[in-house]
Structure formats: structure tokens, C-alpha cells
């Protein structure tokens, strides 16, 4: 039976980590924030519904 050259649980010298650090991409600004889009959709829905409510009551 062969004798292990490195103790169990340790990385052998020839197999070190070769990965690079993660490069974080810049923030996309307001276009990547879901709250902005939710507000736009809700405001559009309110205007759309308001138009039909105004028509029902004779304002438009």
C-alpha cells in the first residue's frame, strides 16, 4: 500500500487554488431597481383606471 505524501484534508503543493477574484460589475443605476418599475406600473395603472372612473361619472 502506498504511503500518502500529504496528510488527509490538506491541499497538495501542486494543486493550489488558481481562481481569480470575482470582478463586480458596476451598478446599472435606476434601471435595475425593481421599485422604480413597480412605481411606474402602478402609476400607469392608476391613470388608466382613473380615466375610466372619470368617464363613468361624466368628467371625460
Amino acid at each position: 500500500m502506498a504511503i500518502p505524501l500529504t496528510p488527509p484534508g490538506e491541499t497538495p503543493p501542486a494543486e493550489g487554488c488558481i481562481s481569480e477574484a470575482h470582478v463586480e460589475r458596476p451598478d446599472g443605476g435606476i434601471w435595475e431597481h425593481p421599485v422604480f418599475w413597480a412605481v411606474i406600473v402602478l402609476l400607469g395603472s392608476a391613470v388608466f383606471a382613473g380615466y375610466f372612473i372619470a368617464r363613468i361619472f361624466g368628467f371625460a
Side-chain angles (χ1 to χ4, degrees):
M1 188 166 145
I3 299 172
L5 300 176
T6 55
E10 291 187 15
T11 306
E15 296 181 15
C17 181
I18 59 170
S19 67
E20 295 179 4
H22 172 70
V23 178
E24 188 172 333
R25 63 186 187 95
D27 183 25
I30 198 163
W31 306 110
E32 289 188 0
H33 296 286
V35 174
F36 172 76
W37 294 111
V39 168
I40 294 294
V41 168
L42 291 175
L43 284 176
S45 300
V47 169
F48 191 75
Y51 171 73
F52 286 100
I53 291 172
R55 285 192 60 188
I56 289 172
F57 291 107
F59 294 116

